[in-house]
Amino acid sequence: MNKRILVLENGEVFKGRGFGSTKETIGEVVFNTGMTGYQESITDQSYNGQLLTFTYPLIGNAGINRDDHESIFPTTRAVIVKEYARRPSNWRSQMNLDEFLKEKDIPGLAGVDTRKLTRIIREYGAMKAILTDAHKNIPDLLKQLKEVRLPSNQVAQVSTTTPYVSPQKGRRVIVVDYGLKHSILHELNKRDCHVTVLPHDTQAETILNLKPDGVMLTNGPGDPKDLPEAHDMIRQIQPHIPIFGICLGHQLIALANGADTFKMAFGHRGFNHPVREIATGRIDFTSQNHGYAVDELSLNKENLRVTHVEINDGTVEGLRHRRYPVFSVQYHPDAAPGPHDGAELFDQFVESMDAWKENRNNA
């Protein structure tokens, strides 16, 4: 393996061994605390443009299989690990991590003190970084990092540009794709939902003309304020149809209803985040991947109420509209990977669609 370096914009340098693609890459370096689920994480489009660091010391021991992809063309910029398993051992494995990253043109870096790197990110926040060959001049790389601007509106890079259908008999659900995970489609299909996936910039009129029973707003990367057209769309459809928002979809619902969002220091990325449901006091362990959060003080209490909070830092994890059949969560109830504690939210979405349809028929 060739010698490579990771250079952070604060001047820290990490030396390691390259694997996967050999290309140079720049992005925001973040960390994920999950002990499993590396394949799902790498293929999660919410990591678009990011250098993904795994805090668990050994990654790749179960290999890569055909079933656990969350997207076909992952856009994670790099994978950083303490050690990767060259010889995986799992009956479903079809290739090792190195082969997979080469296939997807994603560079990897092994032999890094990921604990130290994580502590730096926790102290200074997520920051720009470059992964490149070890012979490069450090001052030149720091100058390059200072001058580079990370892309905005990342959703346009990962959303489908063409509508498509995930067929099933039953309820008709529109999924607006902001960088969706395939596991969301699986959960809807399991509940007898015929799913039509639409691009992120689909207009409200188009959605309403399809006469769906409900609308799902998916996860995705980047700043929710980069999508003003989505805020307008949500405001137009929410009086007319049940809506369920996940992650970025949750933030978009908040912005559409007058709230504000903010960039977190290093975000929530992992599969062990405790969330409390306010109404019942129930604690769920959840899968999360986000760098922005809803500002609770900005909420218009006449429109939205908080339903869930994160126990560790008190951030908003769930919202419900007071007048319309609209609700959302910041975490990933599809649980791929991660705990299945929140899976019943899909059942609540189904119940919301059925109740809305019955009320409409009786009106």
Side-chain angles (χ1 to χ4, degrees):
M1 294 187 290
N2 56 319
K3 294 181 180 179
R4 309 206 82 193
I5 54 173
L6 176 74
V7 180
L8 310 186
E9 63 176 311
N10 70 348
E12 291 279 355
V13 178
F14 291 83
K15 299 178 180 180
R17 303 178 305 276
F19 66 105
S21 171
T22 59
K23 71 178 183 182
E24 179 178 287
T25 189
I26 296 177
E28 183 182 53
V29 61
V30 299
F31 66 86
N32 180 299
T33 60
M35 297 174 65
T36 61
Y38 56 84
Q39 180 176 339
E40 293 94 328
S41 296
I42 294 169
T43 56
D44 181 353
Q45 297 285 26
S46 295
Y47 282 113
N48 175 64
Q50 293 179 325
L51 283 65
L52 173 56
T53 303
F54 287 100
T55 62
Y56 192 70
L58 178 63
I59 297 296
N61 54 310
I64 301 291
N65 67 76
R66 67 176 188 174
D67 298 324
D68 291 341
H69 295 312
E70 290 297 333
S71 65
I72 298 174
F73 303 108
T75 55
T76 301
R77 284 284 174 88
V79 173
I80 302 166
V81 300
K82 172 67 174 176
E83 179 182 356
Y84 86 92
R86 304 182 195 181
R87 297 180 178 85
S89 177
N90 186 278
W91 66 275
R92 292 197 302 158
S93 177
Q94 295 173 303
M95 66 176 72
N96 64 31
L97 182 60
D98 177 50
E99 294 167 333
F100 175 71
L101 295 184
K102 283 187 170 72
E103 179 183 284
K104 300 301 181 183
D105 197 27
I106 299 173
L109 183 66
V112 171
D113 184 348
T114 50
R115 182 179 181 184
K116 178 181 178 181
L117 176 56
T118 299
R119 288 170 66 92
I120 290 172
I121 298 171
R122 285 184 61 89
E123 181 175 355
Y124 297 101
M127 67 187 82
K128 290 183 289 185
I130 183 169
L131 173 57
T132 188
D133 293 333
H135 68 266
K136 294 288 186 71
N137 181 270
I138 302 300
D140 290 343
L141 294 174
L142 290 172
K143 181 180 179 182
Q144 183 180 351
L145 280 173
K146 184 177 181 180
E147 294 174 350
V148 72
R149 294 187 63 183
L150 299 180
S152 60
N153 196 0
Q154 299 176 53
V155 167
Q157 302 172 26
V158 299
S159 172
T160 184
T161 56
T162 305
Y164 63 92
V165 171
S166 181
Q168 184 65 268
K169 293 182 179 180
R171 304 164 189 86
R172 300 278 168 157
V173 175
I174 294 293
V175 171
V176 184
D177 177 14
Y178 298 111
L180 71 83
K181 296 170 64 181
H182 290 171
S183 50
I184 292 175
L185 304 183
H186 296 161
E187 291 297 325
L188 291 171
N189 286 156
K190 280 197 315 188
R191 290 164 174 82
D192 298 324
C193 293
H194 175 93
V195 178
T196 301
V197 181
L198 299 180
H200 73 282
D201 55 356
T202 301
Q203 300 294 310
E205 182 181 8
T206 301
I207 293 174
L208 294 175
N209 285 343
L210 289 172
K211 296 180 169 47
D213 297 313
V215 174
M216 167 74 72
L217 308 176
T218 76
N219 64 291
D223 187 343
K225 293 178 182 177
D226 289 338
L227 299 165
E229 69 281 359
H231 311 162
D232 294 336
M233 179 272 288
I234 293 167
R235 280 191 287 268
Q236 292 177 54
I237 71 170
Q238 66 182 8
H240 307 291
I241 194 125
I243 301 175
F244 179 22
I246 293 176
C247 199
L248 181 62
H250 159 81
Q251 297 162 10
L252 293 173
I253 287 172
L255 290 169
N257 285 280
D260 194 12
T261 56
F262 64 92
K263 184 172 176 57
M264 307 171 76
F266 48 84
H268 293 163
R269 296 179 178 89
F271 320 125
N272 54 358
H273 289 269
V275 169
R276 182 175 71 250
E277 184 179 36
I278 293 175
T280 64
R282 167 178 162 170
I283 306 297
D284 287 340
F285 283 92
T286 65
S287 172
Q288 301 198 17
N289 178 13
H290 61 99
Y292 291 81
V294 174
D295 180 0
E296 184 174 5
L297 296 179
S298 72
L299 290 174
N300 182 337
K301 301 299 173 60
E302 295 181 1
N303 290 338
L304 300 172
R305 64 180 175 89
V306 178
T307 58
H308 299 75
V309 295
E310 215 272 4
I311 291 177
N312 291 325
D313 60 12
T315 50
V316 176
E317 288 287 337
L319 294 169
R320 185 173 291 273
H321 205 286
R322 293 187 181 276
R323 298 190 303 278
Y324 306 133
V326 176
F327 72 102
S328 63
V329 290
Q330 181 65 80
Y331 54 93
H332 290 263
D334 49 290
H340 294 264
D341 296 15
E344 66 178 25
L345 290 169
F346 286 96
D347 298 325
Q348 293 181 24
F349 182 43
V350 168
E351 293 166 3
S352 175
M353 289 189 286
D354 291 347
W356 173 80
K357 191 172 183 178
E358 183 177 351
N359 291 338
R360 184 183 59 180
N361 292 337
N362 293 335

